[in-house]
Amino acid sequence: MSQHSAESSAEQSAAAPDAPDGALFTRDGDYFIPTDRARGPWTFDSLHGSPVAALIAYCVEQRLLESGTASTEAGDLRIARQTIDLFRRVPYRPLSVEVLPIREGRRVAVFQSRLSCEGKLLTQATTLCLRANETLGSVGAVHMTEPPLSPDEATPNRVDRIGNRWVSYPGTLEMRHVVPPGGSQPPVVWMRTDARVVAETPLTPAVRAAGIADFVSPFANMQPGRSGYVNADITLHLHRPPVGEWHFLRIVSRGAADGIATAQAVLGDVAGAYGASSAASLINM
């Protein structure tokens, strides 16, 4: 598709009453081809961080499945932590992802993922996978496990697309505010997405969580009338697999000085907290 036709298609999508749905990428051999749904809000020809995070989690889970020694089912190795360094803009172009095993043990596996475009390294990630054992349960104190006001009781909201000529990834999600971002209180937002990485594969719990972990930065740093911050990393922690479609993100801390901000959030579902996400960000000038 030419740049002119792509821009025309994006403008039509932005004007349409319904936001794009479907998968974030299509497959072409070893390459992942972004769809319009994966676009970011900053520039038309770059991706949002969430589709990038979801793609890397997807590729790691595929590596686990293809190894023949582990799966993503309960009782087997599963993603417990993923840290992504977003040191270059990820363009709206065919992407390749290489997953390299650093350690593959019975209880612990570590992978380094390298996302590239046209031979240039754009993003790298380290993913820690741990073997779950349901018979062990939880030992010690449990904090902040209760979910907030339910999605049905929260205020519906769709990301404001005014000012863009295209629909970015946040505009394809359904969001409901318990405490809206940009105010004096720490935000709490429910989100629901059906964004599979590729159409022919199921949306797994870890990939679904990876697809919202990036929102810790915009929700924590949102200010009326300001351009906000761009995060340079995403870290996701999961102590259990998420359940259901609705997930909440609750900001629990935020600090900023000299144009640098850090933020942490609790992630959960209707059953309570299942993990956390954090980000370090630079103010967008």
Side-chain angles (χ1 to χ4, degrees):
M1 179 184 292
S2 69
Q3 181 70 14
H4 175 75
S5 61
E7 290 177 348
S8 175
S9 174
E11 289 174 357
Q12 291 174 2
S13 295
D18 297 322
D21 55 13
L24 300 172
F25 301 88
T26 60
R27 291 297 300 266
D28 184 3
D30 293 333
Y31 293 94
F32 294 90
I33 315 300
T35 67
D36 283 345
R37 189 173 192 181
R39 293 189 190 274
W42 302 106
T43 63
F44 178 75
D45 61 349
S46 63
L47 303 191
H48 191 276
S50 292
V52 173
L55 173 60
I56 292 174
Y58 165 83
C59 289
V60 170
E61 287 193 334
Q62 291 300 302
R63 176 66 175 78
L64 287 174
L65 291 169
E66 291 165 4
S67 70
T69 60
S71 75
T72 56
E73 298 298 322
D76 291 302
L77 284 170
R78 66 187 189 215
I79 294 175
R81 190 261 298 156
Q82 177 172 278
T83 298
I84 304 173
D85 294 316
L86 302 166
F87 47 78
R88 283 194 176 97
R89 179 179 65 87
V90 178
Y92 189 79
R93 297 178 186 173
L95 306 172
S96 62
V97 180
E98 182 181 19
V99 179
L100 305 173
I102 305 301
R103 160 72 176 170
E104 289 185 283
R106 188 180 66 85
R107 301 180 65 193
V108 178
V110 180
F111 300 95
Q112 184 182 66
S113 301
R114 299 166 62 88
L115 185 148
S116 303
C117 178
E118 299 176 350
K120 178 183 290 187
L121 179 64
L122 305 174
T123 296
Q124 66 182 20
T126 302
T127 306
L128 171 68
C129 301
L130 301 178
R131 186 171 297 279
N133 187 333
E134 292 181 330
T135 64
L136 298 180
S138 174
V139 177
V142 179
H143 304 287
M144 297 189 69
T145 58
E146 293 298 322
L149 194 71
S150 74
D152 291 338
E153 299 172 288
T155 303
N157 175 75
R158 182 167 291 282
V159 172
D160 187 0
R161 299 195 294 261
I162 296 175
N164 280 351
R165 293 176 298 155
W166 63 90
V167 177
S168 61
Y169 175 76
T172 73
L173 307 182
E174 186 176 359
M175 298 187 186
R176 297 185 180 180
H177 293 164
V178 178
V179 181
S184 60
Q185 299 299 313
V188 183
V189 180
W190 285 99
M191 289 176 281
R192 179 166 64 178
T193 177
D194 61 350
R196 298 185 180 194
V197 173
V198 290
E200 61 268 24
T201 58
L203 179 57
T204 67
V207 171
R208 193 186 291 272
I212 69 168
D214 181 60
F215 285 89
V216 60
S217 178
F219 286 174
N221 296 311
M222 188 177 296
Q223 301 176 60
R226 293 291 301 277
S227 55
Y229 288 72
V230 179
N231 55 303
D233 79 331
I234 310 166
T235 294
L236 168 68
H237 281 96
L238 296 172
H239 64 265
R240 68 166 173 84
V243 295
E245 295 182 329
W246 282 105
H247 294 219
F248 70 82
L249 188 150
R250 175 194 283 138
I251 300 297
V252 294
S253 68
R254 188 255 183 186
D258 304 323
I260 298 174
T262 58
Q264 294 76 39
V266 169
L267 301 179
D269 51 32
V270 293
Y274 61 69
S277 66
S278 62
S281 307
L282 284 167
I283 196 165
N284 185 52
M285 302 301 292

